[in-house]
Amino acid sequence: MAKAFYTVFSFLFLITFSVSIHYVATDRVSATNSLSAVAGLTRMGSLSLSVAYYEPRVQRIEKANNIIYPEMMSIDRMDFVYEN
Amino acid sequence: MRTSPFFHFLMLGFFKERKKHIGVIAISLVILFLLGSALFISSSIRYSLNQTLAWEPDFVVQRTQGGQKVNAPTAWIDDLLEVHGISKVTPRVYGRYFFKAKENSFLIVGVDFMDEQSNKALRMMMDETDLKQFLKGDNMLVGEGVSTHLKTHFYPNGYTFLTPKGVFKKVNLFKVLPKKSNLISNDMIIVPIELAREILGMGEDEVSDIALNVPNDDEWDNVADKISAFYYDIHVTTKEDIKKAYENLYNYKGGVFLILFLIVIVTFVLILYQRYSMVYSSERRHIGLLRALGWSIRDVLKLKFFETMMIVVIAFVLGVALAYLYVFVLGAPLLREIFLGGANLPNSVILVPVLDFGILSSIFLIYAIPFISAVLIPTWKIAVTDPKEAML
Amino acid sequence: MNEILLSNQVLVYLLSESILFGLLLIAFVITFGILLKWDFGSYSEQQFLLERRAYLTMTILLFVFVVKFLLLVYFVFAIDSLSLLVPGAMCAAGVISANDYGMLLLFLKLVILFFLLLWMALNSYDLRAKNYPIFRLKSWLFIAIFFIISIELGLNFAYFSHIDTLEPVNCCSTLYGQLEGANPLPFGLNIMTLLLLFYLIYIVVMGAMLSKQRVLSVLATLLFVMIAYYSVVYFFGTYIYELPTHNCPFCMLQVEYYYVGYLVWGTLFVGAYLGIVSSIMEIGLKEERKKEQTSALILLSIFVLLCTAYVAIYYLRNGVFL
């Protein structure tokens, strides 16, 4: 049964190894560069949220809301509890 | 290969009785997978946003009216330029353009391509000949989501915008922004600044807001105070606010997720406790035999402890690897809509892999500690079995 | 709700601490019951039941000890990551001093780990002796530990729910820096005498341990921990940061310094704990504890070598001292 153990653990090791290979081999630079290019060009770095018409897409005014996540209700607001 | 008898016995028991463990491993996998995916997505988004932070302006100045943002006059730019220590004052023009009322919308962003930073960024995207051509006519750069949407609505080469004045304005689709920048550019349409004003129906002397840089970090608070005192209806957002918001974004979504997750964990613990109580009670005879053969209580505890640790390790590695595959290789279909929304254009982002000690240790702790705690008492109960049980 | 409480690390940390406390509560109730009725000489059914229950306490405490150790590392890591949320904080130093509970909490954690280690040592002796000679002693020790841990749990919640994310805190340079020429070192020492003491006491500790002067070695180790703390913060730390004005025990835990702080503080505290616990055991139980003594010596030596190496490497590279 020690054989089964070695099989299982070499399998786990293989998985860990392939994850680390993928992690190391990912091209972070080009992804960062294309993000930076857009952010630099438009001077806007806000997330491209796929929101309905009544929700703000770029919002930095309302303090109570999360600046980056306007579509997310903060739980210190009462609309989190009561339906509108 | 030589192995110690204890180890051999452990393996024998573990793999002979694997049916008992597979159920537990399966439940653990589901839990680890969900938790891991949510944490991976949010940390990856935060990482990418932090990378773009260097390119963002230090300050954004807006005009407010009754708590709502309204367009600021261009005259403000000249006032701001007079403050010492401020550089790169740039007007920003942006707004949403609805493809169909109450349905899909694009984010129109007007850019002054002659501006130094914008020009530099533009050169990162295209070469010289393209650039000349791009600047010649009414051209636009669009995000991937916009381009797909336009294509399916039979506008493959451009789009005719309807301005608020009722005039049609035809704009050529010059280039699609790379998929890699989808995180911020999916629904963007980048056009020259005058064209953006026309499409959004803004006057010549209006801008959406004003971005500016203050190269000396120590002066930020000073400058913020100074600018705020200029007008009564001015609102200043600093990069610090945004940074903090990024930090919270990660904690926030992840945090609410974790709170809900606590309920799941408690249920998990109860299930495990029940299950192990049952599994172990069927092992009474077996353990009684071992005790009769001279095993001490400590030996049995050791055996069960290693068994549990094996399950924890196997489930942890598999669960995290599955989450990794789902998020960073497959791009987290469905689950990413929690983080990016799904009400407008579909966004298929590439998430940059981010793994760090903080995330991995959090996943491990929140899984392993409840798991082992739940198993502890049933394990003890079985370990103190009387040797006479073997006779029954 | 408080932003701090929603942070992932804090949530995971508080959950883990609460679960551990739940287990300890079970162990506490059992131990209390055992202590009331314990009679090793008896052959009654009840006594056998109690002996079995003692195993549950043992298992729980072993588990708690391991996890508490991991959680201390995780705790430091968590407050380090909170420094981004708390205004003014550059590292864990600012966050931990955000309210009055922080430092006390960290101190209690170190105390608890020490007592847990002592308990483990007593327990292994007790089990080897077959007839549980010090069962009552270790049970009372556990009850004491339980009360300290209860206080710690309360402090955990009090600490994290009272961090204000709007109020700026001090950063480490104001907390530990030289304040208008006032000397932060104890007994009016200066850096030279501090260093002298550091190496001198280290030699005393070595000598006492090797020559089996138990009482001396406990006292010397205690003193060494204190002097080592000040030496690292005010002298060796500046070489780790390569900045003469940077005095902070926490910044070295960050990635910029390759997390070397975990190694520095880890070797110091684990080494000192092992040394003190084994010496106490030898004084009280007259039992040889060679293994712990040796590992304590090795760990403390690694600590001293590591600190010295930072200074030496800096000198070799730049040709001057800071």
Side-chain angles (χ1 to χ4, degrees):
Chain A
M1 283 300 157
K3 206 172 143 200
F5 169 79
Y6 290 123
T7 326
V8 167
F9 272 78
S10 48
F11 177 61
L12 289 186
F13 182 76
L14 189 76
I15 288 178
T16 321
F17 186 71
S18 42
V19 165
S20 4
I21 287 286
H22 181 265
Y23 184 71
V24 174
T26 310
D27 182 13
R28 282 182 183 67
V29 178
S30 81
T32 309
N33 278 348
S34 33
L35 276 177
S36 306
V38 175
L41 181 64
T42 60
R43 309 220 161 187
M44 286 206 315
S46 75
L47 273 179
S48 173
L49 297 173
S50 183
V51 290
Y53 69 94
Y54 48 83
E55 288 176 309
R57 161 71 173 76
V58 182
Q59 188 185 22
R60 274 175 188 161
I61 288 287
E62 233 185 285
K63 271 279 173 196
N65 259 353
N66 191 307
I67 296 168
I68 308 302
Y69 256 117
E71 114 279 22
M72 177 178 63
M73 264 181 289
S74 41
I75 37 177
D76 56 353
R77 279 173 42 151
M78 286 330 272
D79 12 354
F80 191 75
V81 185
Y82 304 105
E83 208 176 345
N84 278 328
Chain B
M1 204 176 286
R2 285 190 59 203
T3 46
S4 82
F6 177 79
F7 174 73
H8 188 76
F9 190 80
L10 173 69
M11 292 311 134
L12 204 65
F14 190 81
F15 289 103
K16 266 259 147 60
E17 309 279 335
R18 57 182 173 274
K19 274 203 189 103
K20 281 180 195 160
H21 305 305
I22 281 175
V24 175
I25 291 181
I27 307 175
S28 308
L29 272 186
V30 174
I31 285 183
L32 280 166
F33 171 72
L34 283 176
L35 179 66
S37 310
L39 289 182
F40 283 163
I41 296 174
S42 59
S43 59
S44 171
I45 291 178
R46 186 179 68 146
Y47 170 84
S48 300
L49 286 179
N50 270 331
Q51 297 292 316
T52 63
L53 211 59
W55 289 81
E56 279 192 60
D58 297 337
F59 286 85
V60 174
V61 177
Q62 291 165 327
R63 184 181 195 175
T64 59
Q65 195 172 53
Q68 297 277 329
K69 184 185 101 50
V70 292
N71 293 335
T74 38
W76 281 18
I77 298 176
D78 301 324
D79 291 335
L80 287 171
L81 276 170
E82 276 171 23
V83 180
H84 276 293
I86 289 184
S87 67
K88 288 191 184 168
V89 183
T90 339
R92 297 203 304 188
V93 172
Y94 59 85
R96 280 161 90 180
Y97 179 88
F98 286 88
F99 186 75
K100 253 187 219 164
K102 293 196 177 182
E103 258 184 37
N104 303 98
S105 69
F106 313 128
L107 185 75
I108 306 263
V109 183
V111 173
D112 181 4
F113 293 112
M114 291 306 134
D115 175 74
E116 190 188 337
Q117 184 186 326
S118 307
N119 208 280
K120 206 170 123 201
L122 203 58
R123 274 167 214 278
M124 280 167 75
M125 289 181 201
M126 53 180 83
D127 54 28
E128 202 63 33
T129 46
D130 273 0
L131 196 67
K132 276 196 185 121
Q133 195 135 38
F134 175 66
L135 295 176
K136 232 179 243 167
D138 284 343
N139 291 315
M140 61 181 177
L141 299 172
V142 301
E144 205 203 15
V146 178
S147 126
T148 328
H149 189 77
L150 288 183
K151 244 178 226 153
T152 49
H153 290 78
F154 310 106
Y155 295 101
N157 302 318
Y159 183 65
T160 315
F161 291 96
L162 177 62
T163 66
K165 284 184 183 140
V167 184
F168 285 102
K169 187 83 195 167
K170 186 163 178 357
V171 183
N172 290 323
L173 198 162
F174 187 77
K175 195 169 182 256
V176 180
L177 294 168
K179 189 179 160 70
K180 279 176 186 145
S181 61
N182 266 5
L183 197 60
I184 58 177
S185 72
N186 187 51
D187 63 344
M188 255 186 196
I189 295 181
I190 300 174
V191 289
I193 197 160
E194 303 79 28
L195 189 58
R197 279 207 182 97
E198 209 177 328
I199 296 171
L200 297 169
M202 283 162 64
E204 279 297 310
D205 54 350
E206 279 181 330
V207 291
S208 299
D209 51 27
I210 300 162
L212 54 97
N213 277 9
V214 176
N216 184 356
D217 291 7
D218 296 337
E219 289 293 322
W220 279 16
D221 290 340
N222 259 337
V223 171
D225 281 350
K226 225 174 205 174
I227 299 172
S228 304
F230 267 175
Y231 307 100
Y232 296 109
D233 51 357
I234 202 166
H235 182 271
V236 182
T237 315
T238 69
K239 209 176 192 171
E240 286 296 306
D241 298 337
I242 299 169
K243 236 189 220 167
K244 207 166 158 183
Y246 285 167
E247 198 58 37
N248 269 339
L249 142 95
Y250 167 72
N251 287 332
Y252 220 97
K253 280 249 157 164
V256 171
F257 197 86
L258 268 181
I259 289 176
L260 298 177
F261 198 77
L262 294 187
I263 302 166
V264 178
I265 283 285
V266 172
T267 322
F268 178 58
V269 165
L270 290 179
I271 292 176
L272 277 180
Y273 183 83
Q274 280 288 344
R275 190 178 161 82
Y276 271 94
S277 300
M278 258 162 54
V279 165
Y280 283 163
S281 68
S282 68
E283 271 181 31
R284 284 194 93 79
R285 226 179 108 83
H286 180 71
I287 299 291
L289 208 61
L290 287 178
R291 297 268 287 125
L293 286 171
W295 283 45
S296 70
I297 296 178
R298 287 185 94 180
D299 292 332
V300 181
L301 281 176
K302 206 167 120 193
L303 178 77
K304 290 291 163 197
F305 170 75
F306 277 108
E307 221 176 82
T308 314
M309 278 319 282
M310 271 179 72
I311 295 177
V312 168
V313 169
I314 290 175
F316 179 72
V317 172
L318 279 181
V320 170
L322 264 181
Y324 186 94
L325 179 83
Y326 170 72
V327 174
F328 296 129
V329 180
L330 301 179
L334 293 180
L335 205 57
R336 70 162 174 250
E337 295 206 353
I338 297 178
F339 289 86
L340 292 172
N344 193 3
L345 310 176
N347 189 354
S348 63
V349 291
I350 293 176
L351 294 163
V352 179
V354 176
L355 283 181
D356 62 24
F357 173 76
I359 303 169
L360 290 180
S361 59
S362 296
I363 298 175
F364 184 77
L365 283 179
I366 205 174
Y367 163 69
I369 291 180
F371 187 102
I372 300 176
S373 308
V375 178
L376 216 60
I377 291 174
T379 310
W380 163 76
K381 265 190 190 148
I382 185 74
V384 294
T385 309
D386 257 351
K388 70 175 185 222
E389 295 270 346
M391 251 68 96
L392 299 174
Chain C
M1 200 166 164
N2 195 332
E3 283 172 46
I4 297 287
L5 282 181
L6 276 176
S7 144
N8 282 338
Q9 275 100 2
V10 174
L11 268 177
V12 172
Y13 169 77
L14 289 178
L15 175 76
S16 308
E17 286 280 358
S18 309
I19 289 179
L20 286 190
F21 185 75
L23 283 176
L24 283 171
L25 195 66
I26 296 173
F28 171 72
V29 172
I30 291 173
T31 309
F32 204 72
I34 295 175
L35 266 178
L36 285 181
K37 293 176 192 146
W38 182 262
D39 174 17
F40 189 70
S42 156
Y43 284 96
S44 65
E45 184 85 3
Q46 173 122 36
Q47 175 63 20
F48 281 116
L49 193 73
L50 292 181
E51 279 171 33
R52 280 188 200 164
R53 280 198 185 153
Y55 270 98
L56 181 58
T57 321
M58 229 179 287
T59 322
I60 288 177
L61 265 174
L62 180 68
F63 175 62
V64 167
F65 173 69
V66 174
V67 177
K68 277 268 178 199
F69 185 76
L70 292 178
L71 277 180
L72 177 64
V73 179
Y74 191 73
F75 172 74
V76 174
F77 177 80
I79 50 176
D80 202 51
S81 65
L82 284 184
S83 59
L84 291 167
L85 285 179
V86 180
M90 314 285 280
C91 67
V95 182
I96 202 138
S97 58
N99 58 39
D100 297 339
Y101 305 113
M103 267 308 184
L104 186 61
L105 181 62
L106 195 62
F107 177 70
L108 263 190
K109 282 183 168 299
L110 291 173
V111 171
I112 287 169
L113 270 187
F114 171 75
F115 280 118
L116 279 174
L117 194 70
L118 184 65
W119 191 92
M120 305 302 303
L122 287 178
N123 183 46
S124 73
Y125 172 81
D126 201 31
L127 283 184
R128 246 182 296 122
K130 306 287 181 211
N131 59 346
Y132 300 114
I134 51 168
F135 186 82
R136 274 176 196 279
L137 177 70
K138 79 172 186 195
S139 299
W140 283 115
L141 178 62
F142 165 62
I143 288 180
I145 294 175
F146 178 76
F147 281 115
I148 306 180
I149 290 185
S150 314
I151 298 172
E152 190 222 342
L153 184 77
L155 272 181
N156 271 325
F157 281 95
Y159 171 62
F160 281 115
S161 51
H162 287 93
I163 297 178
D164 196 337
T165 46
L166 299 174
E167 189 107 334
V169 297
N170 287 325
C171 96
C172 51
S173 50
T174 42
L175 286 169
Y176 296 95
Q178 310 256 347
L179 303 153
E180 286 116 29
N183 191 353
L185 299 176
F187 319 127
L189 293 168
N190 61 27
I191 292 292
M192 245 1 251
T193 46
L194 181 77
L195 280 181
L196 213 63
L197 262 181
F198 177 77
Y199 287 107
L200 213 63
I201 296 177
Y202 170 66
I203 293 170
V204 171
V205 170
M206 291 274 281
M209 277 194 188
L210 290 175
S211 63
K212 306 204 180 335
Q213 295 287 323
R214 298 306 162 209
V215 183
L216 180 65
S217 101
V218 171
L219 293 178
T221 316
L222 279 175
L223 197 62
F224 181 71
V225 171
M226 199 174 118
I227 294 295
Y229 168 76
Y230 283 105
S231 316
V232 171
V233 173
Y234 291 102
F235 179 73
F236 295 113
T238 55
Y239 285 90
I240 294 176
Y241 308 130
E242 302 190 335
L243 198 70
T245 51
H246 195 169
N247 301 325
C248 177
F250 291 102
C251 285
M252 59 180 83
L253 299 164
Q254 292 180 333
V255 62
E256 289 89 338
Y257 310 106
Y258 311 107
Y259 300 113
V260 74
Y262 289 101
L263 189 65
V264 170
W265 296 120
T267 47
L268 173 63
F269 281 107
V270 176
Y273 281 6
L274 281 176
I276 295 175
V277 165
S278 57
S279 296
I280 289 179
M281 295 286 291
E282 289 189 356
I283 297 166
L285 302 168
K286 308 271 179 289
E287 195 208 13
E288 187 83 345
R289 312 217 27 121
K290 197 112 180 89
K291 231 160 85 187
E292 280 94 336
Q293 293 273 331
T294 329
S295 24
L297 272 184
I298 292 174
L299 283 172
L300 287 181
S301 305
I302 290 176
F303 167 73
V304 172
L305 273 179
L306 185 69
C307 289
T308 316
Y310 262 99
V311 180
I313 289 170
Y314 186 86
Y315 184 73
L316 287 179
R317 221 191 264 157
N318 300 306
V320 283
F321 288 111
L322 275 173

